[in-house]
Amino acid sequence: MRAQVLDAPRTPLRAAELPDPVAAPRQVLLRVRACGVCRTDLHVLDGDLRHPKLPLVLGHQIVGELVSGGERFGTGARVGVPWLGWTCGECRFCLAGVENLCDRARFTGYDVDGGYAELAVADERFCFPIPETYADEQAAPLLCAGLIGYRSLRFAGDAERIGLYGFGASAHIVCQVALAQGRTVYAGTRAGDDETQEFARSLGAAWAGDAMDGPPAELDAVIVFAPDGALVPAALGAVRKGGSVVCAGIHMSDIPSFPYEALWGERVIRSVANLTRADGEEFLALAPTVPVRTEVEVSPLAEANEVLDRLRRGDVRGAAVLVP
Ligand SMILES: [Zn+2]
Ligand SMILES: [Zn+2]
């Protein structure tokens, strides 16, 4: 099969011919129809996440067609593969219903090969059926940007006025869900990023502007999607007493120090790690009812490096998707 392979951090992906993967028991072999590109892929590529399997096929938002294997899905079924690829089922976290924190979890496109390829294998117990109403390319970003964004939104509690800082793949989905729930959305972007601010307003954001300055209104919660630690004290400054700042990314630059007074008043800072299968089932049932419409930029698999560069520059409107 053709694949884009990471040989070592901080080197471009290499176009390669690999042997076709073989499904083990409980695994499915999928023909990849689309694979979303996630900010986490950049963190793996850049060496911010330190222990990837190498060489590695990136990609953890896979929409595939079942070729063979497993017993859960039929041949030809459309199957989604998320970041959470396997959990032990027996550690204290798995037993407590927070398998996203499993001590021995394995992640797709990190510990096991992912979807920047023509074929992929995945443990069927961690896959999801893809809602019928979505085309392959539109469905792919639901699988991480959507799922983890939704988990982050849950941690924002019943916030009515919610800030989304870093308006990329995840925020553009969360924005639609939040509006459908009757919340008001404030979109924070890099200073002067008129295009993204316009995009956020077109999706219904009440305000879009420089995240470091913050919106004119006091917020109940902010979800920080951008990997810039300086946004955390900025977000804290924008939330009311008792409000939350939820950090949704897997990696962030260091958070600058700030006076305790900024946290005082029972403000909360928390991170969101990975996803549970329950998050996936809940969100994929919800998405078609909103309905969430994903804005995607589709590129051929061979252009993976260029697409990752565009994502790094903040040059993607909505979500980027690769198609083999
Ligand atoms: Zn992701
Ligand atoms: Zn576990």
Side-chain angles (χ1 to χ4, degrees):
M1 66 167 182
R2 285 183 307 130
Q4 291 283 321
V5 176
L6 178 69
D7 292 310
R10 293 174 293 278
T11 63
L13 304 183
R14 169 176 59 89
E17 284 280 340
L18 301 181
D20 289 357
V22 176
R26 309 276 350 226
Q27 283 189 328
V28 286
L29 173 65
L30 302 174
R31 183 164 304 285
V32 178
R33 304 231 290 217
C35 184
V37 176
C38 177
R39 163 81 45 190
T40 297
D41 301 341
L42 271 185
H43 292 312
V44 178
L45 187 74
D46 291 347
D48 296 326
L49 303 182
R50 301 228 184 103
H51 305 288
K53 158 197 179 292
L54 288 173
L56 172 71
V57 178
L58 288 168
H60 56 265
Q61 305 187 83
I62 306 170
V63 176
E65 182 184 332
L66 190 136
V67 176
S68 61
E71 45 203 48
R72 183 176 163 200
F73 304 98
T75 303
R78 282 201 313 163
V79 174
V81 184
W83 169 243
L84 187 73
W86 183 87
T87 56
C88 77
E90 56 192 34
C91 71
R92 59 186 297 193
F93 300 106
C94 283
L95 294 175
V98 279
E99 63 181 359
N100 58 309
L101 304 178
C102 174
D103 284 328
R104 293 194 284 146
R106 287 188 215 140
F107 299 106
T108 310
Y110 186 64
D111 299 302
V112 296
D113 282 338
Y116 287 21
E118 290 176 310
L119 297 168
V121 293
D123 188 316
E124 64 177 349
R125 292 166 294 185
F126 293 84
C127 294
F128 303 109
I130 296 294
E132 276 172 24
T133 48
Y134 287 93
D136 302 329
E137 296 83 357
Q138 259 81 35
L142 300 176
L143 292 164
C144 184
L147 287 190
I148 295 182
Y150 179 64
R151 185 175 176 83
S152 310
L153 182 62
R154 286 218 326 262
F155 284 131
D158 57 3
E160 282 173 22
R161 287 186 291 198
I162 188 161
L164 305 178
Y165 286 11
F167 204 87
S170 212
H172 100 285
I173 294 172
V174 171
C175 175
Q176 299 174 51
V177 177
L179 291 173
Q181 293 171 336
R183 309 178 198 238
T184 307
V185 170
Y186 299 79
T189 75
R190 300 182 214 206
D193 187 351
D194 299 334
E195 216 172 309
T196 304
Q197 290 169 13
E198 179 47 44
F199 178 44
R201 280 190 287 266
S202 76
L203 288 174
W207 173 89
D210 178 359
M212 292 304 292
D213 289 347
E218 194 176 49
L219 304 180
D220 300 311
V222 174
I223 305 175
V224 180
F225 292 106
D228 178 3
L231 288 172
V232 174
L236 211 45
V239 299
R240 60 159 169 82
K241 286 182 282 188
S244 301
V245 174
V246 180
C247 302
I250 194 166
H251 175 83
M252 206 179 231
S253 56
D254 286 355
I255 299 171
S257 71
F258 52 85
Y260 177 59
E261 193 187 348
L263 185 63
W264 174 249
E266 300 191 342
R267 292 176 178 85
V268 174
I269 302 175
R270 74 171 300 157
S271 65
V272 171
N274 315 315
L275 68 135
T276 66
R277 282 172 279 181
D279 292 330
E281 278 148 25
E282 200 175 313
F283 175 69
L284 290 172
L286 173 73
T289 68
V290 169
V292 171
R293 292 180 209 282
T294 54
E295 172 111 3
V296 294
E297 291 187 7
V298 180
S299 307
L301 176 63
E303 288 173 20
N305 283 306
E306 291 79 359
V307 172
L308 286 162
D309 280 343
R310 286 219 309 279
L311 182 62
R312 187 192 308 284
R313 290 197 306 267
D315 247 0
V316 174
R317 184 181 166 97
V321 174
L322 296 172
V323 174

